[in-house]
Amino acid sequence: MRREKLNTLSERDLLIGLITSEKFCREISPILNPRLLEIEYARIVAGWIKEFYVNFKKAPGKDILKLYRAKCETITDEDLQDNVLTFVEKVCKDYDNIEKFNDEFALQQAIEYLKARSLKNLAEDVDAYLTSGEISKAENAITKYKNVEKSSGEAVSLLHNFEAVVNSFTQEDELLFQFPGAYGAIVGKVHREDFISYLAPMKRGKTFALIDAGVEAVKNSLKVLHVSLEMSEHQMSKRYWTALSGQLNEDNNEINYSYFEKSEDGEKWEIKHKTIARKGVSISQIESKQKNLRRLFRGGDIRILAVPAYSLSVEALEAKLDKLAQQEQYIPDVIIVDYADIMAPSDKGDYRNQLDGIWKRLRGLAQSRKAVVFTASQSGRQSINKNADSKDIAEDIRKLAHITSMVALNQTTEEKKNGVLRLRQLALREGEAEFREAVCTQCLSIGRIVTDSHFDNEVILEEKNSETTSKRKKRV
């Protein structure tokens, strides 16, 4: 039996988009000619789904198997019928893992692929006519050629076009995830094309914060690429594994763990401490743990790319993303760069303008890849012993012009000892600004920069007076 395989990521993603995403079907159907596809069974499945969408205005989803059963008798070639069934059954088996398909990026790639296929067919037709001496037919083929383009639309009237107004409120940017509690309110909801940054002085936990973003993303079944410019692959792998699994490098029975507990009057939260224990990683159990995590995360994954500081430009990162997509069929929903200020510049000139160029390009990367980009920036020396503010952004405050959210990580020496971190919102492009701080408990020993969070007006903070070494309680 001859098995025909999809030999391009583009056709595979196009079919998965048609099967899983109503938005993808709606956008691609007007320009999709199944005959443009290279693989025969891809043409068949695409034709079925296009007809299905025209009739029912939705993607088939798991009903693709029912659609196959209704249509399979129209395929007379048994090998071809088997190829279609094999593909459909695999999609149904993996459906839960591909449900959060990056349809925006896939749509963009599918249009480019259809353009290329259309132009290739035109070139072959023209070449054939020229070879046979049929000049007029070659000219006619060029004249009748229609560009494969997504409809850009025309100017719409907000006072007459009902659908335009409805769509502006109902078709929002795709929400990927939100951090829990007050923490989530400070960072804001995380959408595709967002560009989010943490601001903190050195050794304040920026890498831990970025890892936490990766962990939260994978818990929401998303694909993550974490680019580390400071730490090695094995160092990052250890940190991520601890944050995901709770397993440490070695057994530790004396971990200081801070947590919130209601005050006696029940009106505020107090920060308490207890000692917890965690086991060291067991090599023999790693595979079993990985299997359980894969089942839990339903298609979510984290990949680590470690490169030396100042060696990777945004353009080089683009090339690596293309290679991941083409060779490994891995398209990240979340791209973490640790951190932007130590990327290689793309432009010559003074350092400040080079930094501005890096941040501009990362914003463009988020938009072109239909992903969210997380990074961090180091605040100036003056913020080490005080709360960081937007004026403390190192080198160039123009970074604020490019991000969709920026969060300061604030912490005194005493708070660090007590496992307390405060988050302050410095900028938020969409939504209502949050002027309160989030008070967070943390336990870096188990890889968690935030274990719980409440707003500062809900918490009783305990401070230590440096002169008398006596403790006092501060209601905030």
Side-chain angles (χ1 to χ4, degrees):
M1 182 183 295
R2 176 176 54 84
R3 294 267 174 150
E4 192 177 22
K5 296 182 180 180
L6 285 180
N7 58 9
T8 65
L9 174 67
S10 297
E11 291 195 8
R12 172 188 172 274
D13 279 356
L14 189 148
L15 290 182
I16 290 176
L18 286 169
I19 292 168
T20 61
S21 171
E22 180 180 327
K23 179 178 181 180
F24 189 96
C25 284
R26 182 177 64 250
E27 298 286 347
I28 204 74
S29 289
I31 60 174
L32 174 61
N33 181 350
R35 288 180 295 178
L36 289 176
L37 301 183
E38 184 176 1
I39 305 302
E40 187 173 4
Y41 79 80
R43 295 195 290 268
I44 291 171
V45 174
W48 289 350
I49 299 174
K50 182 173 180 178
E51 179 186 351
F52 181 92
Y53 179 76
V54 169
N55 291 330
F56 301 104
K57 300 301 180 188
K58 66 177 184 177
K62 290 184 177 180
D63 287 337
I64 186 63
L65 191 55
K66 293 180 181 178
L67 185 58
Y68 165 80
R69 290 169 182 158
K71 296 282 190 179
C72 64
E73 291 183 358
T74 63
I75 306 174
T76 56
D77 186 307
E78 290 185 3
D79 284 345
L80 181 56
Q81 190 178 104
D82 183 67
N83 285 334
V84 175
L85 178 60
T86 300
F87 174 76
V88 167
E89 286 181 334
K90 180 167 176 43
V91 170
C92 290
K93 180 181 177 181
D94 297 339
Y95 193 84
D96 289 341
N97 290 338
I98 62 176
E99 204 169 0
K100 287 214 171 183
F101 183 71
N102 190 339
D103 52 11
E104 284 280 359
F105 184 72
L107 177 64
Q108 180 177 293
Q109 296 299 101
I111 292 172
E112 291 300 309
Y113 179 71
L114 292 174
K115 283 182 183 181
R117 290 290 303 161
S118 180
L119 288 168
K120 183 179 179 181
N121 289 350
L122 174 64
E124 289 174 351
D125 289 344
V126 170
D127 185 61
Y129 288 135
L130 291 175
T131 301
S132 63
E134 298 174 284
I135 306 299
S136 61
K137 286 187 178 181
E139 290 178 332
N140 193 43
I142 294 172
T143 302
K144 290 185 175 180
Y145 176 75
K146 293 182 179 179
N147 293 337
V148 177
E149 290 286 355
K150 179 182 174 183
S151 175
S152 58
E154 300 177 354
V156 297
S157 169
L158 292 182
L159 299 185
H160 293 88
N161 192 322
F162 169 78
E163 187 176 351
V165 177
V166 171
N167 287 344
S168 67
F169 285 94
T170 59
Q171 295 182 16
E172 298 179 358
D173 294 335
E174 183 182 350
L175 176 64
L176 292 180
F177 65 92
Q178 184 171 10
F179 295 99
Y183 179 18
I186 297 297
V187 178
K189 295 179 179 180
V190 180
H191 301 88
R192 294 197 189 276
E193 301 189 36
D194 279 350
F195 183 22
I196 299 171
S197 177
Y198 298 102
L199 177 71
M202 63 184 73
K203 308 301 181 185
R204 181 60 57 80
K206 294 186 292 294
T207 296
F208 277 109
L210 293 172
I211 288 175
D212 196 61
V215 170
E216 194 64 33
V218 77
K219 285 180 179 178
N220 283 271
S221 305
L222 299 171
K223 291 180 172 60
V224 179
L225 176 67
H226 191 123
V227 182
S228 176
L229 297 159
E230 285 194 308
M231 300 176 68
S232 67
E233 179 184 320
H234 79 268
Q235 288 173 322
M236 290 299 300
S237 296
K238 284 169 64 175
R239 284 200 181 189
Y240 259 114
W241 187 253
T242 295
L244 287 167
S245 69
Q247 296 176 333
L248 309 182
N249 190 49
E250 57 186 17
D251 291 355
N252 190 340
N253 297 320
E254 297 182 350
I255 298 172
N256 182 26
Y257 189 87
S258 57
Y259 65 97
F260 287 106
E261 187 177 279
K262 275 289 187 180
S263 59
E264 291 182 3
D265 58 15
E267 294 183 1
K268 299 276 186 176
W269 293 96
E270 290 184 296
I271 297 173
K272 303 289 186 178
H273 296 85
K274 62 183 178 182
T275 300
I276 63 171
R278 286 289 185 272
K279 290 288 186 182
V281 64
S282 171
I283 303 300
S284 63
Q285 296 177 357
I286 288 178
E287 279 192 296
S288 174
K289 190 69 174 178
Q290 286 177 325
K291 184 178 180 180
N292 291 336
L293 291 174
R294 286 197 301 270
R295 187 183 301 114
L296 180 65
F297 298 151
R298 297 173 56 192
D301 195 8
I302 296 174
R303 299 202 181 184
I304 296 167
L305 174 64
V307 293
Y310 303 104
S311 68
L312 185 73
S313 66
V314 178
E315 289 81 2
L317 176 55
E318 286 265 19
K320 291 184 181 295
L321 288 166
D322 287 338
K323 186 176 180 180
L324 271 177
Q326 292 164 5
Q327 297 184 3
E328 302 182 40
Q329 299 183 2
Y330 191 81
I331 300 174
D333 304 286
V334 178
I335 301 168
I336 300 172
V337 179
D338 188 8
Y339 55 99
D341 292 356
I342 54 176
M343 294 190 78
S346 303
D347 306 312
K348 295 181 179 179
D350 67 87
Y351 182 58
R352 290 180 68 254
N353 285 327
Q354 288 178 342
L355 272 183
D356 185 56
I358 290 170
W359 284 68
K360 281 179 180 176
R361 286 177 174 83
L362 284 176
R363 172 61 169 152
L365 178 71
Q367 293 172 315
S368 65
R369 296 284 166 171
K370 307 302 178 184
V372 55
V373 172
F374 281 87
T375 192
S377 181
Q378 190 159 296
S379 56
R381 189 183 311 169
Q382 65 275 14
S383 65
I384 293 177
N385 297 315
K386 71 177 187 65
N387 291 342
D389 204 340
S390 56
K391 63 179 179 292
D392 297 315
I393 297 175
E395 302 298 343
D396 196 347
I397 200 169
R398 286 179 294 177
K399 295 172 185 176
L400 282 174
H402 311 310
I403 51 87
T404 54
S405 173
M406 181 172 278
V407 175
L409 311 180
N410 292 323
Q411 190 177 54
T412 65
T413 302
E414 194 64 27
E415 285 171 335
K416 188 172 185 177
K417 291 179 183 177
N418 291 325
V420 178
L421 176 73
R422 289 172 291 107
L423 305 181
R424 182 183 177 191
Q425 188 182 95
L426 301 182
L428 187 69
R429 181 160 293 177
E430 295 290 338
E432 293 187 16
E434 179 56 68
F435 298 101
R436 295 173 292 180
E437 277 191 327
V439 179
C440 310
T441 50
Q442 66 174 200
C443 186
L444 299 184
S445 296
I446 61 171
R448 301 290 307 281
I449 192 168
V450 175
T451 56
D452 199 0
S453 62
H454 293 282
F455 288 115
D456 55 4
N457 62 330
E458 302 169 340
V459 178
I460 300 172
L461 284 178
E462 197 172 67
E463 291 185 337
K464 190 170 183 179
N465 188 306
S466 58
E467 295 181 358
T468 63
T469 67
S470 64
K471 291 183 178 180
R472 64 183 176 87
K473 288 185 177 180
K474 177 187 177 185
R475 289 185 176 263
V476 293

